[in-house]
Amino acid sequence: MEGFNLKFVFCLLAIIFLIYFAKHSQAEAKVDGFTTDFISRDSPRSPFYNPSETKYQRLQKAFRRSILRGNHFRAIRASPNDIQSNVISGGGSYLMNISLGTPPVSMLGIADTGSDLIWRQCLPCDDCYKQVEPLFDPKKSKTYKTLGCNNDFCQDLGQQGSCGDDNTCTSSYSYGDQSYTRRDLSSETFTIGSTEGDPASFPGLAFGCGHSNGGTFNEKDSGLIGLGGGPLSLVMQLSSKVGGQFSYCLVPLSSDSTASSKINFGKSAVVSGSGTVSTPLIKGTPDTFYYLTLEGMSLGSEKVAFKGFSKNKSSPAAAEESNIIIDSGTTLTLLPRDFYTDMESALTKVIGGQTTTDPRGTFSLCYSGVKKLEIPTITAHFIGADVQLPPLNTFVQAQEDLVCFSMIPSSNLAIFGNLSQMNFLVGYDLKNNKVSFKPTDCTKQ
């Protein structure tokens, strides 16, 4: 009888083990979809939040970051082989909470659609900038592995990669602000916490383990989560598991709701249904950026045709594909100067009233007396997709009694920023090469 009981116990334990193993193996092999928080860097949930600042001071910092980010993107486009498309200190507007290693170690990193490589500071650190979060210790993880120079991920680094004496793949970058970083290219298990169901785990993802970093990095910068289109980004590494799809819904800055923005992957990221419009995602150089084609914008019946950056006025610059980058990390929308001038002229005619100057010099078109303004809906005409932008997406209250057009002129780079994307479910389908927009109340997502 006693032997029977022991056999029964052993069989029961074996069944429990097999169920557990099958469940967790399946979770790693295939993920239908998951959703997690996309935290604004200026939200009270962000380590960057400064409660002593007013909302207008935080906005002004976001506006300045847009200009710095535009300059950074221009440098990458001008010399893609010399500058890796990593976040500049203070860049990026949203944060994601992921975990690295086994057992998992939490990391609240800057989520950036304008960068590729995932990285964080690691031990041992020969020369690291001070950071609030503890450094990641690879020795405490059962799944950490440095990658050799012949590894495919190392080949994806191109000229940015180098080979150490011990055949370890490394990447080193220097920035115009004298910041620098050296990282070992490594692989690790990533766990992404989900707001729906259990967290999803992904073994063998490549990331940069930084051992020498310095310059103007912020002590609250513990790392970066690249969501760009290059092969080393989180999105591209997860592509086969989540069907090459991700989406986000950005809560408006003006919202009094405590709701957080959300980012979705896999089936949870599908954007469809009434009101959805889609436009082709165009391949460009570098492949980090997500390029769209903007044909023009309209205010009511008046359409303003897109004008590009060509110095030759007879050039068909307006018809060029991939003429604007869509980016969640840039607050403002940057437009070619001639096109912007035409838009501003059309707006002043429609709105009427007396314009005023921005005392900080960020914006070209501003009004005082906010309550009296009648701001029209602006329609952005992308190829195959007319995206209607209400005043919430095109004007921002920069000060107590000052509202400004949140698109600014640029000399050689156009960016569709996150103010223009708020209260839209924005979906990226990297297999079918399209971006979709669906008007959505993001506070209810």
Side-chain angles (χ1 to χ4, degrees):
M1 192 70 179
E2 184 177 343
F4 173 79
N5 288 338
L6 284 174
K7 288 181 181 179
F8 177 77
V9 170
F10 283 135
C11 288
L12 183 62
L13 289 173
I15 292 170
I16 292 172
F17 174 78
L18 288 172
I19 293 173
Y20 176 86
F21 180 79
K23 177 183 176 182
H24 285 265
S25 297
Q26 186 177 15
E28 288 186 354
K30 182 181 179 181
V31 175
D32 285 337
F34 57 94
T35 297
T36 192
D37 288 335
F38 208 36
I39 304 167
S40 169
R41 64 175 290 137
D42 291 321
S43 121
R45 297 177 58 191
S46 164
F48 294 94
Y49 181 75
N50 183 350
S52 67
E53 292 179 336
T54 68
K55 66 176 181 179
Y56 301 115
Q57 288 173 322
R58 288 190 284 271
L59 276 173
Q60 291 297 334
K61 287 186 176 181
F63 301 155
R64 287 196 295 272
R65 287 196 301 269
S66 293
I67 296 169
L68 289 172
R69 192 168 170 85
N71 292 336
H72 179 63
F73 281 7
R74 280 194 287 271
I76 296 169
R77 282 188 33 161
S79 188
N81 291 326
D82 297 328
I83 303 174
Q84 171 69 12
S85 55
N86 276 41
V87 72
I88 56 172
S89 180
S93 290
Y94 291 88
L95 308 172
M96 272 180 69
N97 200 339
I98 65 173
S99 296
L100 279 72
T102 307
V105 177
S106 179
M107 166 187 168
L108 188 63
I110 294 173
D112 189 14
T113 53
S115 297
D116 289 333
L117 187 65
I118 310 160
W119 67 268
R120 72 166 298 166
Q121 292 199 113
C122 295
L123 291 173
C125 210
D126 305 323
D127 180 21
C128 279
Y129 64 87
K130 181 181 178 182
Q131 73 172 48
V132 174
E133 283 191 356
L135 301 183
F136 179 69
D137 188 352
K139 291 183 179 179
K140 293 183 178 180
S141 173
K142 298 177 183 178
T143 46
Y144 175 85
K145 185 173 75 171
T146 56
L147 298 180
C149 301
N150 294 325
N151 186 277
D152 289 343
F153 285 128
C154 189
Q155 303 304 312
D156 288 334
L157 283 171
Q159 296 185 19
Q160 304 306 320
S162 58
C163 194
D165 295 335
D166 57 353
N167 196 41
T168 297
C169 182
T170 62
S171 58
S172 301
Y173 309 111
S174 297
Y175 303 93
D177 63 358
Q178 306 306 310
S179 297
Y180 61 89
T181 176
R182 182 186 68 78
R183 307 168 190 136
D184 289 339
L185 193 65
S186 310
S187 71
E188 187 54 282
T189 293
F190 280 62
T191 303
I192 305 178
S194 179
T195 56
E196 300 175 3
D198 296 328
S201 292
F202 304 96
L205 298 189
F207 80 108
C209 209
H211 298 289
S212 180
N213 320 279
T216 61
F217 292 107
N218 191 298
E219 66 178 13
K220 296 174 182 176
D221 289 337
S222 61
L224 179 135
I225 303 165
L227 299 175
L232 289 172
S233 79
L234 179 66
V235 169
M236 297 306 291
Q237 290 192 65
L238 293 182
S239 183
S240 62
K241 298 179 176 66
V242 298
Q245 296 186 96
F246 75 101
S247 66
Y248 49 75
C249 204
L250 306 181
V251 173
L253 295 178
S254 58
S255 173
D256 294 328
S257 171
T258 57
S260 174
S261 300
K262 296 289 189 286
I263 183 166
N264 318 291
F265 295 86
K267 289 184 178 179
S268 300
V270 174
V271 179
S272 61
S274 177
T276 302
V277 293
S278 302
T279 186
L281 184 61
I282 310 295
K283 300 292 184 182
T285 304
D287 57 6
T288 299
F289 301 143
Y290 297 113
Y291 296 90
L292 307 180
T293 302
L294 181 64
E295 297 178 311
M297 293 185 177
S298 62
L299 299 77
S301 60
E302 182 172 359
K303 184 174 181 178
V304 180
F306 181 87
K307 290 181 180 177
F309 297 102
S310 176
K311 294 180 180 178
N312 180 3
K313 300 301 181 182
S314 63
S315 169
E320 290 179 355
E321 287 190 336
S322 64
N323 56 23
I324 191 166
I325 295 166
I326 180 170
D327 178 46
S328 66
T330 304
T331 302
L332 304 176
T333 288
L334 280 60
L335 299 176
R337 191 168 297 276
D338 288 347
F339 179 48
Y340 173 85
T341 299
D342 291 346
M343 281 295 299
E344 182 179 304
S345 177
L347 272 170
T348 53
K349 289 178 183 177
V350 173
I351 295 174
Q354 183 64 43
T355 63
T356 188
T357 58
D358 173 13
R360 296 179 181 269
T362 302
F363 301 103
S364 297
L365 177 61
C366 295
Y367 293 87
S368 58
V370 178
K371 295 180 180 179
K372 298 178 182 179
L373 285 180
E374 293 186 9
I375 300 172
T377 293
I378 294 175
T379 301
H381 300 286
F382 295 102
I383 289 181
D386 290 343
V387 179
Q388 294 189 347
L389 305 173
L392 145 70
N393 298 109
T394 57
F395 277 76
V396 63
Q397 190 171 351
Q399 294 181 17
E400 190 68 40
D401 193 41
L402 184 72
V403 65
C404 300
F405 184 39
S406 59
M407 301 183 186
I408 61 174
S410 171
S411 298
N412 54 10
L413 184 69
I415 301 176
F416 195 66
N418 63 44
L419 280 178
S420 297
Q421 301 176 54
M422 290 179 177
N423 263 4
F424 282 93
L425 185 56
V426 183
Y428 296 70
D429 184 340
L430 306 183
K431 285 194 172 181
N432 295 306
N433 293 316
K434 66 178 182 178
V435 173
S436 300
F437 299 87
K438 181 179 181 179
T440 305
D441 183 350
C442 293
T443 64
K444 297 179 179 179
Q445 287 292 295

